Amino acid sequence: MKDNLNIDELLNGFIDGELTQRQLSEVNRLVAHDPDIAKRLQELKKCKLLLGSMPCAESPADMLEDIKLALERRVLLGHFAGRERLNGARHLLYRKMLSAAAMLTLVAALLGVVFYIIAGTGNAEKQFADEDLFKPIAKVELAKPAAAKKAAPQAIADAAGGFTGRLELKTNAPVAVNAVIVRAIAENSFLEYGSPDAQIADGIYVLNCSRRELSSILADLENIWTKFDSTALFIETGQTENQVAVKPVTAQQIIEIASQNNLSGQIALAKDFAALNDITGHLPGKEVLAAIDNKKPDFMTIPKPVLTSGEKTVKKSAANANEEKDVHLTIVVISGS
Amino acid sequence: MTETTKITIDDAVLVDMCRRGDSAAMERLILKYQNRIYNTILKICANTEDAAELTQDTFVKVIENIDKFEGRSGFYTWAFRIAVNLTLNYCKRNVQLGFRSLETSDDEHDEQGKIALKEFLTDESSPDPAAVVVNKELAEIAVKALMKLDDWQRAVIVLRDIEGMDYAQIADVLGIEHGTVKSRLSRARSALREILEAVIQ
């Protein structure tokens, strides 16, 4: 079958004049020696002749005109279609731009809202403090360290031996902590709740007391020291921009700093504590060491009278009254972790 | 590529003028090839109205796309490629064309044709081409036999035996290999021979 096909192809090539000289000689040889192949060649020639004898049809007379008309029609249609496409594209572009503008406006509005929400409760308060719109409300201001600065006494303690500072206590349990502080102030007989010596605001306590009194209060607070997420002591140096901070700070360290006789001594000790605390904070296994070193601070604990009646707290003793109230400490309780 | 596939000077000049918007050149190109293209299309699709429409479509497409003609093959080959593609697509959509039977035609006419065909096929001497050309019965039978071939066989045999293209041009027009042209043409002629043998029996 394949041979027949090949011979047929060869014979077709022969009658079509598509053979090489060698193939031509081969076909001539085959035809001369094989009558079947000669007959086949004759049949193929007749087929070719029959098809070639078919009359050549002429195209319709108006073919040229029809083609020209068709071309004109297509050009016109294409022109109008092009114009329609152009108009459509313009309309689409206009709509896209409108949509984009609407989206941008929406995004800007959303950003404005988000910014207002964040800025209204964050640092932007300070930034826009002069603008009426962002004026912080009084209550919030009181709860802030910045507010504490305003509430703090302007007079810096005497450089000869006084201590002026601010203690910031950050806690997740502000209610409990405030209760303990209030109680500590109230239970200490040498201070009277509501007296000018212990001005109590909302989360802010301004103590004007002696070093001994400070020790007593801090001894009470020592019991809840673990409740604080962070503690920081800022020592007023008389220069607004030059505060000295010890962060974190322990109650014992505050007592020791406050017990220094002059500001330079307080600052030097505060710097030492700050460095020490920083190193300790980076020591591995500090929690274990703290557990092993179970030494309690050497506080002077004053027996606390328990009120069983509606009697007022007894005022401090005459001896205590004679002590110099050269410690000015503002305790600020900050809510949050 | 053979010499005949290269663009002729006349065609090249006309195409170039046509590209520049010369409508006279466009008309000359159309007039030059419209009959050959129409005839080829008609032999493939076997319907005069459709052939006229397909010819018109072919030239519209040729003129519209003349800027894309790169001149790597002859304009004639390129125009025929468009024509044959359009026609074969048309045939695909009208499959029934390929199943037209010789028996559906006029019986009396067929009988005369059958006799003429029998004489033509059984005559062992070489037939006279001129005598064949004037024999209308034979021509009609040839047209009908051609319609019994499948589209691709019909296209290749029309391009070769009616349009007179060489194998290279056929390969170019149909977009197939040279060897494929040979095998398809061989099969087409064998199939045509069988169809004709069946008519006279």
Side-chain angles (χ1 to χ4, degrees), chain A residues 119-144 146-147 150:
Chain A
T121 57
N123 293 331
E125 249 179 38
K126 197 188 288 181
Q127 189 178 347
F128 295 101
D130 294 337
E131 295 179 22
D132 291 341
L133 184 63
F134 292 104
K135 263 189 180 172
I137 56 174
K139 192 174 181 181
V140 175
E141 193 176 3
L142 279 171
K144 296 291 176 190
K150 285 182 184 176

Side-chain angles (χ1 to χ4, degrees), chain B residues 103-157:
Chain B
E103 304 304 322
T104 57
S105 305
D106 181 33
D107 286 341
E108 189 186 354
H109 195 74
D110 275 351
E111 283 303 316
Q112 289 177 1
K114 281 178 187 177
I115 294 165
L117 182 62
K118 195 170 185 177
E119 285 175 3
F120 174 73
L121 292 178
T122 53
D123 185 7
E124 292 196 356
S125 63
S126 294
D128 178 15
V132 176
V133 169
V134 295
N135 192 327
K136 289 184 180 176
E137 287 82 6
L138 277 181
E140 280 187 24
I141 287 175
V143 169
K144 290 168 185 172
L146 199 57
M147 285 302 107
K148 287 205 159 189
L149 296 176
D150 71 46
D151 297 339
W152 278 94
Q153 287 179 340
R154 193 161 61 249
V156 78
I157 211 167

